Amino acid sequence: MDRTTLVRNLRPLQRDGWVEIVGGGRGSRVELLITAKGREKIKEVMPAWRSAQKAAVKTLGEQRWSAILSDLETAAQALSK
């Protein structure tokens, strides 16, 4: 993900107080901290997240779901080089 896309996607999280930028970053690096308010939001939405995950596995099947996750991991590793 390029920097402008990342910043644009993080802006609402920062605006709502769920994350904060710590330090100035180095080069293209920026460090984020999940705030206490952000941790509370995670707790709040976790049941819906788990339900969505279960629905995806039920729809796709455990084997296909695992393959998708594996493919995403492979892609992320390839793109980070």
Side-chain angles (χ1 to χ4, degrees), residues 33-75:
L33 173 70
I34 298 175
T35 63
K37 187 176 178 181
R39 283 188 289 280
E40 286 300 316
K41 181 54 77 173
I42 290 170
K43 287 180 190 177
E44 178 186 325
V45 301
M46 193 55 72
W49 174 256
R50 286 190 180 116
S51 177
Q53 294 292 303
K54 285 181 184 178
V57 172
K58 183 177 179 182
T59 301
L60 297 170
E62 186 67 46
Q63 187 175 8
R64 184 64 196 127
W65 181 248
S66 293
I68 290 169
L69 293 179
S70 178
D71 290 346
L72 288 171
E73 179 68 27
T74 300

Side-chain angles (χ1 to χ4, degrees), residues 1-3 5 7-8 13 15-17 19-20 27 29 33 38 41 44-45 50-52 61 63 69-71 74-75:
M1 181 179 303
D2 77 358
R3 183 176 175 86
T5 301
V7 169
R8 184 175 51 252
L13 302 177
R15 178 199 63 220
D16 293 343
V19 298
E20 65 181 56
R29 292 183 175 251
L33 173 70
K41 181 54 77 173
E44 178 186 325
V45 301
R50 286 190 180 116
S51 177
Q63 187 175 8
L69 293 179
S70 178
D71 290 346
T74 300

Side-chain angles (χ1 to χ4, degrees), residues 16-36:
D16 293 343
W18 298 341
V19 298
E20 65 181 56
I21 296 174
V22 287
R26 234 179 347 169
S28 62
R29 292 183 175 251
V30 173
E31 292 183 39
L32 297 171
L33 173 70
I34 298 175
T35 63

